[in-house]
Structure formats: structure tokens, C-alpha cells
Amino acid sequence: MIRFLDAGESHGKALIAILDGLPSNFIVDIDYINDELKRRQTGYGRGERMKIEEDKIEILSGLRGRKTTGNPITMMIHNKDYEKWKNIIDREPEDKEKISIPRPGHGDLVGYFKYGTGDIRDSIERTSARETAIRTAVGALCKSILKEIGIDIRSKVNSIGNSYEEIVDLFDDSIYEKINNSSVRCYDEEIEKSFMKKIDICKEEGETIGGSVYISVKGVPIGVGSYSQWDRKLDAILSYGIMSLQGVKAIEFGNGLDLSLRGSSFNDEILYKDGRISRDTNNCGGIEAGVSNGEKIDIKVFIKPIPSIKKDIRTIDLKTREEKTTRYERSDVSAVVPASIILENIVAFYILKELLSKFPNDEFNDFKKAVKDYRDSVYIK
């Protein structure tokens, strides 16, 4: 079983993760992990913080040369912005400096009462989406392992506000190249202009905007996950990870929210083509009864507008209970574009975790062989 913990504050010295349970003898590509971190930082609607940070991963343990040893892997990303904030972060604040005006939509109010430090700054530092940088690094390592065993994870922006783009096959390389070259990660030029215009309008008005992301996973064999217990179902496990991302409010697998479909049209008929079991449709999104069925795992994720807005909205001072207007701290206009990259890597961690549960191995080549042998036994012509 693989697992990880991460730590660090938004403006602290660094973000750190310890990833445990990876098999030995996998050759780690540091450049690939850094490329994923760079993908996370780019995109239309990003804020000033991304101009400051140039995220690079440093691996402190768990490798010898470039190979995993089977020992826990420690990852670190240094925060460049720490130098500007260390006088605030590294000392006890005076009472007059403590923040007591919570911003609606953030963790400010709940953190203030849950942990009782008397300063909302402590909640701000940990609830910040800055934490997703280290989670992206963890997921990128997992995604590189999945690629070696024939599993690919791709994504696109599905909507910004109420402007939608049609779902396409992300594994058509010509289409996916257009998506990766788009600053809003879509393939249609007119839709791209529409997405950018909505973001521009929100920026001018001091607003933010949400949207949705489409993720597709190709190559997961039949039989990953389980219906034997409620907490082993693959769609439940993926939902758990996806919902942990800041701003995510809803998830759809396949066409599960299409209310126009009836049972006869929603069910994906089982066929036998070209020596394998297959489907002509994928309304269930590649998972039945909590178990992968060999088709692509298709997920749509819906992301709320970022709550940090320049417009005044009502709140209170928690010390005096007087009515106030909300504070503003720097923010992106939209988090949908970077969320698509972060979600690819979150999904990668949970897919790899379930595969290692099904094919437990301490050594990578044994793991790879076990997956291949299983595929061969399932897809016999």
C-alpha cells in the first residue's frame, strides 16, 4: 500500500511530502515531475504568486542515484515568497496583528474556532491552494509509474462559467496537442476566446469564476477496486481524493448526470470485438459496481469560483462581532485551468494505490510483470 503525508504553509520555508510504499528499482525522472509542476503554474487567469515561484522538486530520501530503493521518499519544494513573509511567519504575532475578520468561502471561520489559535493567519497558511504544488509532485511520480505499465491520464477544461466545450477523445494526439497548447486547455479556438473573455470580465469586475474539468484515464484493466466493502469501491476512492482538492464541489462519472437517459440507453451493452470484451458507449465512466471494467475512466469535476474577490461582501469581526466587509488577499481569477493538471496527478496517486493493492510487489519490474500477466489472462483472443 502506498500512502503519503504532506506538510508546509503557503508562505513558510517549504512544502514537504513523505511518500511511502513505492516499489524499488523504478527510475525516477525528476524533469518529468518538474514539468508537471510547471504545467500546474501556467494557464489563463493565474495570479501574481505564479510570477514569484518557480517550483522545482528536491528529493531528500528514498533514491539511490535515480532509482527508488523501497524506502520512504521525501520531497521538498522551497517557497521563494518565504523571504518576504518570514518576519510574519516565524514569530508569535502581537494581539493587534492577529487577523479576526474571516473571508466567506475560505477556512478562516471554521479554522478560527476549531484550532483556537486566535489568529486566522494560521488557517490561511494551511488551507491555501499552495499545498497543491507538493501533491502535484507526489502524483507526478505516481503518474510516471503508471505510464510505464500502460496507463495514461489526460485532462481538459470542460467549461468556464456557463460556457461549455464538447467532450472529445483526449487520446487523439492531434486534439490533445491543441489542448496542451491552449492557455485555457481547450481545443476549439472560438470556445477558447469565450473562456478567456469570461475570465477577463471577471478580472475587470474584481470577481472570480469557476467551471469544470474533464479527466480520462486509459489503460486501467478490468478488476481494479472492489464491491466487497463500501470503502473499497474505486469510484468512491477516486471521489475521496478528488473532493480533497480545494474548490471542488461535485463529481460526475461518465454521463451519470444526464437525466435524459433511461435505463435501456444508459446501460453500456457488452460486446466482443477484436479479441476483447468492449463497449460501444461508456455512460458509466469505466466503473461498474465500484470496479473498473476495462473501458476509459471518465470523470467530470466541478469547481466553484475562488472565494477571494475584490468586491466587498459582508462578514464580521470575530473579536468584536461588529459587521465588516471582507478582506482581500491576492488570488487567481480562475483556478479551473491549474485544477485540470492537479487533478490528473491526484487521480494518478489513487489509481496506483489500488493497482499496488491488487498486485502487491516490493520491486517495480515484478509489479510491471504482474500487471502484464493479468492483462494477458483477461484479454485472451
Side-chain angles (χ1 to χ4, degrees):
M1 182 183 76
I2 61 169
R3 56 186 178 168
F4 80 92
L5 287 174
D6 69 68
E9 285 75 38
S10 179
H11 299 97
K13 291 181 180 179
L15 302 170
I16 295 174
I18 298 178
L19 174 60
D20 186 36
L22 286 189
S24 63
N25 291 325
F26 178 75
I27 298 173
V28 175
D29 186 345
I30 300 292
D31 289 339
Y32 178 80
I33 298 172
N34 286 332
D35 284 345
E36 288 296 291
L37 290 172
K38 187 175 181 179
R39 290 177 76 212
R40 173 193 165 274
Q41 288 188 287
T42 57
Y44 206 72
R46 286 299 242 162
E48 294 299 314
R49 179 77 187 260
M50 294 306 105
K51 296 178 182 178
I52 298 169
E53 304 293 351
E54 293 179 5
D55 291 339
K56 301 285 185 183
I57 196 70
E58 183 179 356
I59 296 184
L60 306 179
S61 72
L63 297 187
R64 191 165 188 182
R66 294 175 56 203
K67 286 185 179 180
T68 57
T69 62
N71 298 332
I73 294 173
T74 305
M75 296 179 163
M76 177 183 289
I77 299 172
H78 293 276
N79 288 329
K80 285 190 175 182
D81 214 19
Y82 166 71
E83 289 301 317
K84 294 180 181 179
W85 284 77
K86 60 184 178 182
N87 291 332
I88 296 172
I89 298 299
D90 291 349
R91 64 176 178 83
E92 286 282 342
E94 298 179 16
D95 284 342
K96 64 181 179 180
E97 297 172 321
K98 293 181 178 180
I99 301 171
S100 59
I101 300 173
R103 302 162 299 166
H106 287 272
D108 297 5
L109 178 67
V110 294
Y112 183 88
F113 286 104
K114 180 173 177 63
Y115 291 106
T117 66
D119 189 0
I120 286 172
R121 169 58 57 194
D122 299 310
S123 300
I124 293 172
E125 287 299 313
R126 187 57 185 162
T127 57
S128 166
R130 177 68 185 149
E131 179 256 357
T132 63
I134 197 67
R135 270 203 284 176
T136 298
V138 168
L141 178 50
C142 296
K143 190 160 68 162
S144 65
I145 294 174
L146 292 178
K147 282 180 177 290
E148 284 291 311
I149 60 171
I151 295 173
D152 196 6
I153 304 173
R154 297 183 177 186
S155 71
K156 69 178 290 295
V157 171
N158 194 43
S159 65
I160 296 290
N162 58 3
S163 290
Y164 281 80
E165 184 175 60
E166 289 184 5
I167 296 297
V168 290
D169 181 7
L170 296 183
F171 299 96
D172 181 323
D173 290 338
S174 62
I175 289 176
Y176 201 57
E177 184 178 4
K178 290 182 181 179
I179 291 168
N180 281 328
N181 288 331
S182 166
S183 62
V184 285
R185 305 207 69 237
C186 68
Y187 67 92
D188 184 282
E189 291 182 4
E190 292 304 314
I191 297 293
E192 180 180 57
K193 291 176 185 176
S194 173
F195 284 179
M196 293 170 71
K197 183 177 180 181
K198 285 188 175 294
I199 293 171
D200 288 341
I201 289 171
C202 286
K203 185 175 183 179
E204 290 172 7
E205 295 179 352
E207 282 279 12
T208 59
I209 192 166
S212 62
V213 169
Y214 170 58
I215 307 159
S216 191
V217 187
K218 183 179 180 181
V220 178
I222 291 174
V224 178
S226 176
Y227 49 74
S228 67
Q229 288 292 345
W230 59 271
D231 60 347
R232 294 185 60 198
K233 294 183 176 183
L234 182 59
D235 43 0
I237 290 166
L238 289 170
S239 297
Y240 175 81
I242 290 167
M243 287 298 297
S244 73
L245 177 63
Q246 292 89 331
V248 172
K249 285 298 180 183
I251 303 170
E252 177 186 17
F253 286 87
N255 293 314
L257 296 182
D258 187 345
L259 302 181
S260 69
L261 295 172
R262 297 185 177 186
S264 59
S265 55
F266 185 87
N267 289 333
D268 303 310
E269 294 181 324
I270 301 171
L271 309 170
Y272 191 74
K273 292 181 177 180
D274 302 323
R276 62 163 290 173
I277 297 168
S278 65
R279 315 290 179 99
D280 279 346
T281 59
N282 193 23
N283 292 313
C284 68
I287 299 175
E288 292 172 307
V291 182
S292 61
N293 65 9
E295 300 299 306
K296 288 181 287 189
I297 297 174
D298 289 338
I299 311 168
K300 301 182 194 80
V301 181
F302 300 85
I303 300 153
K304 71 174 183 175
I306 296 169
S308 295
I309 58 174
K310 293 180 179 179
K311 282 188 171 183
D312 289 338
I313 54 175
R314 290 185 299 172
T315 184
I316 63 168
D317 188 319
L318 294 174
K319 290 179 179 177
T320 65
R321 299 300 198 263
E322 295 175 334
E323 188 170 297
K324 299 285 184 178
T325 55
T326 190
R327 301 174 300 102
Y328 174 74
E329 294 202 10
R330 66 186 177 195
S331 168
D332 296 345
V333 178
S334 178
V336 180
V337 176
S340 67
I341 306 303
I342 299 162
L343 287 165
E344 285 181 24
N345 291 288
I346 287 176
V347 167
F349 171 79
Y350 285 96
I351 294 289
L352 181 59
K353 182 178 181 180
E354 291 307 300
L355 282 166
L356 282 167
S357 176
K358 184 172 177 63
F359 308 103
N361 278 281
D362 294 320
E363 198 273 335
F364 172 71
N365 294 299
D366 290 342
F367 171 59
K368 185 177 181 178
K369 183 178 185 300
V371 175
K372 181 183 182 303
D373 290 347
Y374 176 76
R375 287 185 197 276
D376 292 343
S377 70
V378 171
Y379 299 123
I380 296 175
K381 292 188 178 181

